[in-house]
Amino acid sequence: MSGNSRNSGHTGHTGYTGHIALLSETLATAKAEDRAALIAYLPAGFPTVDGGIEAVKAALDGGADVVEVGLPHSDPVLDGPVIQTADDIALRGGVKIADVMRTVREAYEATGKPVLVMTYWNPIDRYGIERFTAELAEAGGAGCILPDLPVQESALWREHAGKHGLATVFVVAPSSKDERLARITSAGSGFVYAASLMGVTGTRESVGLEARDLVLRTRATTAMPVCVGLGVSNAEQAAEVAGFADGVIVGSAFVKRMLDAPDAAAGLVAVRELAAELAEGVRKR
């Protein structure tokens, strides 16, 4: 695997940093430029496997610093109706974990930017932790976001992820007490995903004060970057969140642009344009 000889970045394990180093460097570069990083989310296999790969590349080409590739799941508890619709299209199209790995590989090889997988725990558990982490690292993946894996049950995952130089990104929520925040951030790596509000993904009128408070409380427990997701859909909201967070995560707005597009080609143009608008937004904080 390329990148496994790098010595920058830190995973809590020695000698192997893998692509977590690239993720850390990318977030550090954004900070050095006095801006937030833009992190895009798109599900693999939507609208097709090839179309999904092109969409991920379009988001990165348009200005996203990092991308999260969603592993479509039949019971996505954190996802709202827009992403559920896209997941359903991908699943009916027969998307497999191998297609997710291919999406990661082709996006990374085409852009050189960090690519993570966002997935619920059940598919990894069924696939096998060692197999999943080895394949993700080999594909050039930077790590995984695991919204439903409890920290207290994550030791085996973290052992394998660390061995392969993968970040383990946990999700914190406004309901998380300070003691729990400290436990979560001490176990995670790469960055912390701060869910801006209670509820599921989707675009919203306002991202709100809860997110700002959560970022402050999370920062009190860790030196890792804190990136905010859930609800950001336009440049103004991106600029607002960039005023207090290290990264702005946008998913449903990208997926909605593709769902609303008259055809696949128009969908890719829409993704690239939205990425450019949001990239401008995160620089205006």
Side-chain angles (χ1 to χ4, degrees):
M1 166 191 146
S2 63
N4 62 358
S5 61
R6 304 175 74 145
N7 293 318
S8 55
H10 177 67
T11 63
H13 296 253
T14 55
Y16 193 124
T17 55
H19 288 81
I20 190 177
L22 177 62
L23 176 64
S24 299
E25 286 162 14
T26 299
L27 294 169
T29 297
K31 187 175 185 179
E33 293 173 359
D34 193 31
R35 65 177 180 87
L38 174 61
I39 303 175
Y41 165 94
L42 285 157
F46 167 73
T48 60
V49 175
D50 288 344
I53 291 168
E54 292 308 311
V56 169
K57 291 196 286 193
L60 290 166
D61 290 342
D65 299 289
V66 179
V67 76
E68 302 171 8
V69 173
L71 194 162
H73 189 48
S74 54
D75 184 26
V77 290
L78 188 74
D79 295 311
V82 170
I83 290 173
Q84 282 186 21
T85 299
D87 276 7
D88 188 49
I89 290 167
L91 291 167
R92 279 186 288 141
V95 69
K96 303 278 192 293
I97 287 179
D99 300 316
V100 177
M101 298 299 178
R102 186 183 144 217
T103 303
V104 171
R105 181 191 309 281
E106 294 195 19
Y108 170 68
E109 288 178 351
T111 66
K113 291 184 177 182
V115 183
L116 300 117
V117 168
M118 184 163 188
T119 178
Y120 295 98
W121 180 246
N122 193 31
I124 294 179
D125 198 31
R126 287 208 310 260
Y127 197 72
I129 299 172
E130 170 57 25
R131 181 183 176 197
F132 189 94
T133 51
E135 289 182 8
L136 181 56
E138 199 271 327
C144 246
I145 299 162
L146 300 159
D148 67 341
L149 176 64
V151 172
Q152 61 271 24
E153 295 172 23
S154 68
L156 187 61
W157 162 267
R158 287 186 284 127
E159 178 190 329
H160 286 293
K163 185 170 73 174
H164 291 291
L166 298 170
T168 297
V169 178
F170 288 112
V171 179
V172 297
S175 60
S176 304
K177 301 283 188 284
D178 290 353
E179 184 185 349
R180 178 157 174 76
L181 285 178
R183 190 172 181 188
I184 291 170
T185 58
S186 66
S189 53
F191 65 90
V192 184
Y193 186 126
S196 66
L197 34 79
M198 302 304 293
V200 297
T201 59
T203 60
R204 286 179 172 80
E205 294 300 311
S206 164
V207 180
L209 295 173
E210 281 187 326
R212 187 186 297 266
D213 177 61
L214 177 59
V215 169
L216 288 172
R217 291 196 299 120
T218 304
R219 281 212 181 112
T221 72
T222 183
M224 272 194 295
V226 183
C227 303
V228 170
L230 272 61
V232 176
S233 61
N234 58 45
E236 292 72 31
Q237 290 174 333
E240 179 195 349
V241 174
F244 58 83
D246 299 297
V248 179
I249 303 168
V250 181
S252 295
F254 281 111
V255 175
K256 189 170 189 317
R257 292 269 180 120
M258 290 178 70
L259 286 168
D260 290 347
D263 55 50
L268 295 178
V269 171
V271 165
R272 197 175 283 106
E273 285 176 350
L274 178 59
E277 290 165 24
L278 293 166
E280 205 174 305
V282 298
R283 286 164 170 80
K284 281 184 178 167
R285 63 186 192 179

